[in-house]
Amino acid sequence: MRWALIGASRIASSYMIDAIRSQNADIQSVLSSDAARGEAYAREHGIADSFTDLDALLADDSVDAVYISTTNEKHHAQALAAIAAGKHVLCEKPLAMTLDEAGEMVRTAAGKGVVFATNHHLRNAGSHLAIRELIASGRIGKVLSARVFHAVNLPDALRGWRINDAAAGGGVIPDITVHDADTIRFHLGEDPQEVVAKAAASGLGEGVEDSVMSVWSMPSGAMVQSHESFTHKFAGTGIEFHGTDGSIYARNVMTQEPVGAVRLVDADGEHDISYDKHNLYHRALGLFADAVNGKGRPSADGVDGVKSLAVALAVREAAQSGKAVAVNYGGF
């Protein structure tokens, strides 16, 4: 496969370029709105071409797939252009600014017959695969509740638009709550029905929220408590599931790295759960490549991206209105 990067981003340079190349794939080009920055990025990462014009990049028939990691408000138009050009698409979360836009992206890709995936990395982690297997195999019985704590200190290099530009999709809800929504859906195999929430600016947010807490009700009757923030330096991250026959405690697993500990507690005591510490993004790109070749599906497809966005939008609406909000999945 030959790829183009739509966005000369930190996520691409830190993780995705390596992950793409791990599949014996080539990165042909990169798009940046700044010509000098794009050229420097291409030189640094051994990419042949750099563009400032999306149509010119997509006109290259040798490019099979694109990875989109621009600011959130650009995803919709860029994805539709790539799909129209017949490219497979791996898009960063959130897929778009609105549910209608995200749904249009997914439906258009299906109509064109190209693979469309969302870059939800956590479901590729060995820790989360182990947690999912514990739940699916009945080790904790019927799940009664879950708790996600994903309050972190946003690094200086990642601030900028995330903390001060609502029009670009800034705020902790589109940045982190979408990931937690996808992770809960991945583990429980069901979609949140209704949410209540409170959001705040607690030191970083300028016109956008930097902290949010919410509670979600699930069709099974389970309840989910979720906490996301950009301002918590020492909180640590994790996820818990509590059932009729046991509890799962996972610490420091809400991360891009293959780290953290998973522990099962049941009537027989405490059990440390081992898991495979593979590279999350290598796994995601391998499954994407398989899907392009007609074998299986991406780890998180477009519908997964629509549904995680739907939950995040409901959380934001609930926080703004002070009322319980039913999650609208736009027909998906």
Side-chain angles (χ1 to χ4, degrees):
M1 289 179 64
R2 289 167 70 87
W3 285 76
L5 306 179
I6 299 179
S9 65
R10 288 182 179 274
I11 180 69
S13 60
S14 297
Y15 295 99
M16 299 304 293
I17 291 173
D18 168 70
I20 289 169
R21 289 173 173 162
S22 75
Q23 305 304 311
N24 296 316
D26 179 49
I27 301 172
Q28 176 63 31
S29 54
V30 60
L31 180 81
S32 174
S33 59
D34 183 310
R37 183 173 185 272
E39 290 168 3
Y41 192 96
R43 283 196 304 273
E44 180 181 357
H45 298 291
I47 299 170
D49 301 320
S50 64
F51 294 88
T52 57
D53 181 76
L54 178 61
D55 290 337
L57 178 145
L58 294 174
D60 184 350
D61 291 335
S62 73
V63 170
D64 304 299
V66 301
Y67 167 61
I68 299 175
S69 60
T70 48
T71 49
N72 299 340
E73 87 285 5
K74 297 175 182 175
H75 293 176
H76 174 249
Q78 291 171 337
L80 290 182
I83 293 164
K87 314 301 185 187
H88 304 288
V89 177
L90 174 58
C91 188
E92 270 302 327
K93 55 75 207 169
L95 289 185
M97 299 288 283
T98 70
L99 196 65
D100 286 344
E101 287 181 346
E104 182 184 8
M105 294 155 73
V106 173
R107 292 185 176 103
T108 303
K112 188 72 172 180
V114 297
V115 173
F116 187 91
T118 311
N119 200 29
H120 277 309
H121 61 279
L122 289 172
R123 59 167 62 202
N124 290 285
S127 56
H128 286 280
L129 292 167
I131 292 167
R132 187 172 190 248
E133 175 58 26
L134 288 172
I135 295 170
S137 64
R139 292 290 298 275
I140 65 170
K142 177 180 171 59
V143 177
L144 303 174
S145 66
R147 184 168 80 96
V148 187
F149 43 108
H150 203 162
V152 298
N153 180 49
L154 186 67
D156 289 344
L158 296 181
R159 293 181 182 182
W161 65 271
R162 286 179 174 83
I163 62 170
N164 61 22
D165 194 344
V172 75
I173 292 172
D175 201 61
I176 302 182
T177 304
V178 285
H179 276 314
D180 295 343
D182 182 70
T183 305
I184 288 294
R185 291 187 59 252
F186 177 69
H187 287 310
L188 298 185
E190 58 178 350
D191 300 325
Q193 288 182 312
E194 186 179 79
V195 304
V196 295
K198 292 284 187 179
S202 57
L204 285 181
E206 302 170 15
V208 298
E209 81 289 336
D210 60 29
S211 295
V212 63
M213 290 185 176
S214 56
V215 176
W216 316 342
S217 59
M218 308 298 287
S220 64
M223 297 181 66
V224 177
Q225 179 188 37
S226 185
H227 178 204
E228 295 86 26
S229 181
F230 287 155
T231 63
H232 287 46
K233 294 181 180 180
F234 310 108
T237 71
I239 193 166
E240 298 174 359
F241 293 91
H242 304 285
T244 54
D245 298 330
S247 290
I248 298 166
Y249 297 87
R251 296 291 183 268
N252 300 317
V253 297
M254 310 303 287
T255 173
Q256 295 162 305
E257 305 298 336
V259 297
V262 179
R263 181 166 51 99
L264 170 68
V265 179
D266 61 13
D268 295 323
E270 299 187 7
H271 317 273
D272 291 329
I273 304 300
S274 61
Y275 61 88
D276 183 34
K277 293 181 170 60
H278 56 258
N279 183 298
L280 284 65
Y281 294 102
H282 287 199
R283 182 180 188 273
L285 267 292
L287 292 173
F288 185 92
D290 286 346
V292 168
N293 290 320
K295 298 179 290 185
R297 62 182 294 276
S299 59
D301 62 16
V303 174
D304 292 317
V306 170
K307 290 191 172 185
S308 65
L309 174 62
V311 176
L313 292 173
V315 168
R316 176 165 278 171
E317 181 182 348
Q320 292 173 343
S321 69
K323 300 177 181 179
V325 171
V327 184
N328 171 24
Y329 291 103
F332 285 90

